[in-house]
Amino acid sequence: MARMVRMGIDVGGTHTKAVAINNETHEIIGKSSVKTTHDDKRGVAAGVVTCFQNCMRENDISPDSVVFVAHSTTQATNALIEGDVAQVGIIGMSKGGLEGFLAKRQTKLENIDLGNGKEIIIRNRYMNVKKMTEDSVNKELHALVQEGAQVIVPSMAFGVDNEEPEKMVAKAAEKEKIATAMASDITKLYGLTRRTRTAAINASILPKMLETANSTEQSVREAGVQVPLMIMRGDGGVMEITEMKKRPVLTMLSGPAASVMGSLMYLRASNGVYFEVGGTTTNIGVIKNGRPAIDYSIVGGHPTYISSLDVRVLGVAGGSMVRANKNGIVDVGPRSAHIAGLDYSVFTDEEKIQNPQVEFFSPKQGDPADYVAIKMENGDRVTITNSCAANVLGLVKPTHFSYGKVESARKAMQALADYCGTTVEDIAKQIMEKAYAKIEPVILYLAEKYKLEKDQISLVGVGGGAASLIIYFAEKMGVKYSIPENAEVISSIGVALSMVRDVVERIIPSPTKEDISSIKMEAMNKAIQSGATAESVEIHIDIDPQTSKVTAIATGSTEVKTTDLLKECSEEELRKLAAADMRIDIEEAILLEKTKFISVFGTKSQQNGEADAIRILDSKGFIKVQRGFAQALKTTASKYLEVVQRLWDAMAVYQTELIARPDFYLCVGARVIDFSASDFEQLKLLMDIEISTLEPDMEIIVVAANIKQS
């Protein structure tokens, strides 16, 4: 039988990289890389296509063996950053009266500031739905087009409950061949102004994204591949290109999302701060309980309903150039060697670095003129980067992708050290300290925001430049770190092995079992529309008691996977992994509870029924949950509720005016289902929906966890 292949392409600031993966074994068949085509008339799509075709040709992959192809994209983010956006016409709608007075104000948006003097131009109209006719709609459409609107956004008060007026406008626009983006298609949450703004941002990038999507899809088809083309979403899932054409804004930050999903394929820990270190930028975010932290994006200072990874993008990375004066290093970044068109000294042959001399220059018009270049005897120039400094300090090992020619870097940096009147080692440490000063506050902020317990924070380095930063940072902070296998192409792996993901959100005060079942079904249908197979879809429900927001997150694969990356571990191997993660001796780690698929390890103190650190591991050794203060009990589906009640009473922490309610995890078969802290009745409602389909005697492990009070 011929091998079946999954293809993943990631678009980075410096390189576009493709990987081909065996669909059965998940082994990497081949890799390919090209420089990202920012200046091509087709934009980054040109690089995506070239990289895809190169990977197929270089690894003798026939088109009919490709069962999955997906790519991340920077187009949405770049379009907003660069202001390459369309003018948007908004038609606000309501039933009139007081509702009409408010809706007219709430849908009348100002131009949306994108920074750097760029903005989305907005044109506004308002219609009373009771007076809407086909003629009146066409009149408003034509007026908006005459004013310059290229895409229309129909947005109605309470449109999430009744889409028909918005659909009427959309159909009329379609007849006139005017692009449209309904507000109720983007989100089902209330908040008319925010919903309208989100739809307007989506609409503004629609023409550009359609052009790129069509170009990429056509090229893939011309290569003979007929499977649906998938696009990475900013929240870590993928969707079919047909869905992306409706909601392109969901692809914002899809590059960082790809690196996170790739990390999760290899990472054994469930909590950590991850770095995607490229040549130009470093993306920093959080993995908690095995899932990436997700938040609503902010565009031009305005909150939106665009769910994406909560990522901080910093202009300090493996290829960041240094700025200096006679006193030493002034700054690191944000300009990179790639942007300046210079090679890293650490990747230059040593014999070329003869009689090196320091030169200062401005990489781009308007940049400071104190960036460092090293001019060599032959007239060529190289530059000094974070990667050069990390190699000189001995932090980068031969097994790391960013390992280079240490003596070359040393010779180049000696010229700068002589200029500054110090040593090469001191210059290297100054460089790393400047980079650290930019990144440390971000790590600490994210750890605080997502309540990562300090002793469980680990830094996860991905991207080609990972070793250039993360080793120094981990040692300075005194935390664990890991650099997964194939870190340099981890984003492409994440794209190739990614799951379809879709989200449905509703405001439902006091939701009933029927409400939850309905939103679960809606989320499942959306995931299937985005390309998931029905049998693979799993749904996580979250209820926010403060806002009454109910969120259903559906994930599924494009085909049912029967293999995994790692072999199953023995109990002793699992114990060793748990002990290492809890930072205790292996003999101190005890197996608290176990099923066929899940093992829960803790400490000896828990033999007496005390709460302490626990680790929930699956049979492959992946740590699904890391908590510092928890208890675990095994029961059956028919008796689970009395165990939940018992643990709720034991783990709730009563403070002066508040109750710190415990978080719960149900280990059901191979799944670990996360139930965030809520009131007991909502907790029971959500758990009942999951448990009601199980056999009464099925084994379940219930874990309750809380924050340990000092």
Side-chain angles (χ1 to χ4, degrees):
M1 180 180 174
R3 64 182 180 180
M4 296 290 102
V5 178
R6 300 176 72 87
M7 298 278 291
I9 305 121
D10 176 63
V11 182
T14 306
H15 291 96
T16 295
K17 299 177 181 178
V19 296
I21 294 177
N22 187 305
N23 191 53
E24 292 296 319
T25 64
H26 289 176
E27 293 175 326
I28 294 177
I29 296 169
K31 311 172 189 178
S32 186
S33 177
V34 299
K35 289 287 180 69
T36 298
T37 52
H38 295 291
D39 299 325
D40 192 280
K41 64 180 181 181
R42 290 178 295 164
V44 298
V48 169
V49 171
T50 301
C51 201
F52 169 73
Q53 292 174 332
N54 288 352
C55 194
M56 289 185 63
R57 184 183 65 256
E58 292 164 6
N59 298 288
D60 195 26
I61 298 169
S62 64
D64 58 2
S65 69
V66 177
V67 296
F68 178 93
V69 56
H71 74 86
S72 71
T73 177
T74 61
Q75 286 292 90
T77 306
N78 289 350
L80 292 171
I81 289 173
E82 296 164 9
D84 189 7
V85 292
Q87 293 190 31
V88 177
I90 296 173
I91 297 181
M93 294 173 284
S94 75
K95 296 177 182 177
L98 177 60
E99 178 185 301
F101 173 76
L102 294 173
K104 188 173 183 178
R105 293 177 58 188
Q106 292 170 353
T107 58
K108 187 176 181 180
L109 301 186
E110 300 293 331
N111 293 345
I112 299 173
D113 181 22
L114 299 174
N116 298 321
K118 307 291 187 180
E119 61 183 7
I120 301 172
I121 304 298
I122 304 292
R123 309 295 182 188
N124 293 282
R125 285 291 187 280
Y126 169 78
M127 300 189 74
N128 185 323
V129 296
K130 293 178 181 177
K131 300 176 182 179
M132 279 174 60
T133 65
E134 190 173 331
D135 287 341
S136 66
V137 169
N138 284 331
K139 181 180 177 181
E140 297 294 357
L141 285 174
H142 291 149
L144 285 169
V145 170
Q146 285 180 345
E147 289 178 21
Q150 297 161 278
V151 187
I152 302 299
V153 171
S155 183
M156 178 179 163
F158 303 103
V160 296
D161 301 320
N162 176 16
E163 299 177 345
E164 292 309 312
E166 290 187 11
K167 285 183 177 178
M168 181 178 176
V169 173
K171 287 177 181 176
E174 187 178 340
K175 282 184 181 179
E176 299 294 320
K177 293 184 169 49
I178 305 169
T180 185
M182 288 169 45
S184 58
D185 265 354
I186 301 298
T187 178
K188 300 299 183 184
L189 290 179
Y190 297 121
L192 183 56
T193 299
R194 191 166 172 180
R195 188 168 70 247
T196 305
R197 183 188 302 120
T198 305
I201 294 168
N202 181 69
S204 74
I205 60 174
L206 196 58
K208 181 73 174 178
M209 295 295 286
L210 283 174
E211 179 185 321
T212 301
N214 290 333
S215 170
T216 309
E217 187 176 33
Q218 180 182 349
S219 298
V220 170
R221 295 289 169 261
E222 288 173 358
V225 176
Q226 298 303 317
V227 295
L229 177 61
M230 311 295 286
I231 310 296
M232 197 82 192
R233 292 165 51 124
D235 60 8
V238 291
M239 58 183 176
E240 280 194 12
I241 197 166
T242 51
E243 283 297 305
M244 189 276 275
K245 291 175 182 178
K246 299 176 191 174
R247 300 179 288 166
V249 75
L250 298 184
T251 67
M252 281 177 56
L253 292 175
S254 72
S259 68
V260 179
M261 304 320 289
S263 300
L264 290 174
M265 303 295 172
Y266 290 88
L267 180 64
R268 288 188 183 273
S270 60
N271 291 333
V273 176
Y274 65 84
F275 288 64
E276 182 197 16
V277 186
T280 306
T281 59
T282 293
N283 303 310
I284 304 175
V286 165
I287 296 169
K288 185 172 183 181
N289 294 336
R291 291 197 299 269
I294 291 180
D295 205 346
Y296 293 125
S297 296
I298 295 175
V299 177
H302 300 294
T304 71
Y305 282 135
I306 305 162
S307 288
S308 63
L309 270 72
D310 191 2
V311 172
R312 301 297 185 272
V313 182
L314 301 179
V316 53
S320 295
M321 296 185 295
V322 304
R323 295 169 54 202
N325 59 26
K326 279 285 187 182
N327 296 319
I329 302 301
V330 173
D331 199 3
V332 176
R335 291 301 186 197
S336 68
H338 174 58
I339 296 297
L342 299 177
D343 290 332
Y344 303 17
S345 62
V346 76
F347 298 139
T348 303
D349 291 337
E350 186 181 349
E351 59 269 19
K352 290 184 179 180
I353 303 182
Q354 300 296 325
N355 192 26
Q357 300 294 320
V358 173
E359 281 192 352
F360 295 102
F361 74 112
S362 177
K364 294 285 184 182
Q365 187 174 359
D367 287 345
D370 57 357
Y371 279 93
V372 174
I374 302 297
K375 186 174 182 180
M376 300 175 291
E377 198 169 64
N378 64 0
D380 290 344
R381 299 193 307 168
V382 294
T383 192
I384 295 169
T385 66
N386 279 317
S387 295
C388 303
N391 272 271
V392 164
L393 292 174
L395 299 171
V396 187
K397 306 304 178 188
T399 52
H400 295 139
F401 186 77
S402 53
Y403 183 76
K405 299 174 175 65
V406 177
E407 287 308 311
S408 296
R410 180 174 287 278
K411 287 174 70 173
M413 290 174 68
Q414 185 66 60
L416 181 58
D418 291 344
Y419 177 84
C420 298
T422 187
T423 65
V424 169
E425 284 71 18
D426 181 53
I427 288 293
K429 286 179 181 176
Q430 286 187 45
I431 292 171
M432 299 309 296
E433 279 297 312
K434 289 293 183 183
Y436 180 76
K438 290 185 173 183
I439 290 179
E440 185 209 24
V442 176
I443 297 172
L444 297 179
Y445 168 77
L446 289 171
E448 173 65 24
K449 179 177 180 179
Y450 291 102
K451 295 180 171 57
L452 293 182
E453 297 166 58
K454 179 67 188 295
D455 64 341
Q456 293 166 36
I457 294 178
S458 63
L459 304 183
V460 184
V462 297
S468 300
L469 296 182
I470 195 170
I471 300 171
Y472 186 88
F473 293 179
E475 290 179 356
K476 186 155 178 104
M477 295 185 75
V479 298
K480 298 176 292 183
Y481 78 89
S482 62
I483 300 176
E485 184 182 358
N486 296 306
E488 75 279 7
V489 290
I490 205 78
S491 297
S492 301
I493 293 170
V495 176
L497 298 179
S498 54
M499 306 281 279
V500 173
R501 188 181 194 276
D502 230 307
V503 179
V504 175
E505 298 172 308
R506 289 276 192 280
I507 303 298
I508 310 175
S510 304
T512 64
K513 190 172 183 177
E514 289 71 27
D515 291 330
I516 301 298
S517 296
S518 175
I519 197 171
K520 284 184 71 173
M521 182 58 67
E522 185 176 351
M524 173 175 280
N525 288 337
K526 289 191 77 169
I528 292 170
Q529 287 174 353
S530 292
T533 59
E535 60 269 31
S536 72
V537 177
E538 291 188 2
I539 300 168
H540 171 76
I541 298 288
D542 182 59
I543 299 176
D544 186 335
Q546 302 299 319
T547 62
S548 298
K549 184 176 74 173
V550 181
T551 305
I553 303 170
T555 55
S557 59
T558 54
E559 39 75 44
V560 180
K561 296 175 184 175
T562 57
T563 59
D564 210 332
L565 290 167
L566 300 174
K567 65 179 182 64
E568 294 202 359
C569 298
S570 67
E571 182 177 315
E572 198 58 25
E573 288 171 327
L574 294 174
R575 186 191 310 277
K576 185 176 180 181
L577 289 166
D581 198 68
M582 290 189 286
R583 301 186 183 185
I584 59 177
D585 294 335
I586 190 168
E587 59 268 17
E588 293 292 317
I590 64 168
L591 181 62
L592 299 176
E593 302 289 0
K594 183 178 182 179
T595 65
K596 179 181 177 182
F597 302 99
I598 297 291
S599 298
V600 181
F601 287 88
T603 65
K604 284 189 174 180
S605 62
Q606 287 166 309
Q607 290 176 320
N608 302 319
E610 299 176 20
D612 204 349
I614 65 107
R615 299 294 185 266
I616 303 176
L617 289 84
D618 68 12
S619 59
K620 304 293 179 70
F622 284 88
I623 301 174
K624 310 296 284 186
V625 174
Q626 298 163 284
R627 295 301 297 257
F629 189 67
Q631 290 188 46
L633 289 173
K634 185 162 69 173
T635 183
T636 60
S638 62
K639 297 178 180 178
Y640 91 96
L641 191 56
E642 59 189 71
V643 171
V644 170
Q645 181 72 67
R646 178 177 159 190
L647 288 175
W648 177 279
D649 294 339
M651 294 297 296
V653 177
Y654 294 87
Q655 300 168 332
T656 307
E657 296 179 357
L658 300 171
I659 303 174
R661 298 179 175 90
D663 299 325
F664 276 84
Y665 307 89
L666 293 186
C667 305
V668 180
R671 292 190 299 155
V672 178
I673 310 170
D674 176 6
F675 297 90
S676 300
S678 182
D679 66 66
F680 190 79
E681 287 305 310
Q682 283 189 344
L683 183 71
K684 180 176 177 293
L685 172 69
L686 293 175
M687 288 183 170
D688 274 346
I689 292 172
E690 296 291 344
I691 300 299
S692 61
T693 59
L694 305 179
E695 294 295 326
D697 59 351
M698 182 175 180
E699 288 186 332
I700 294 172
I701 300 175
V702 183
V703 177
N706 214 328
I707 303 298
K708 189 174 184 177
Q709 302 299 305
S710 56

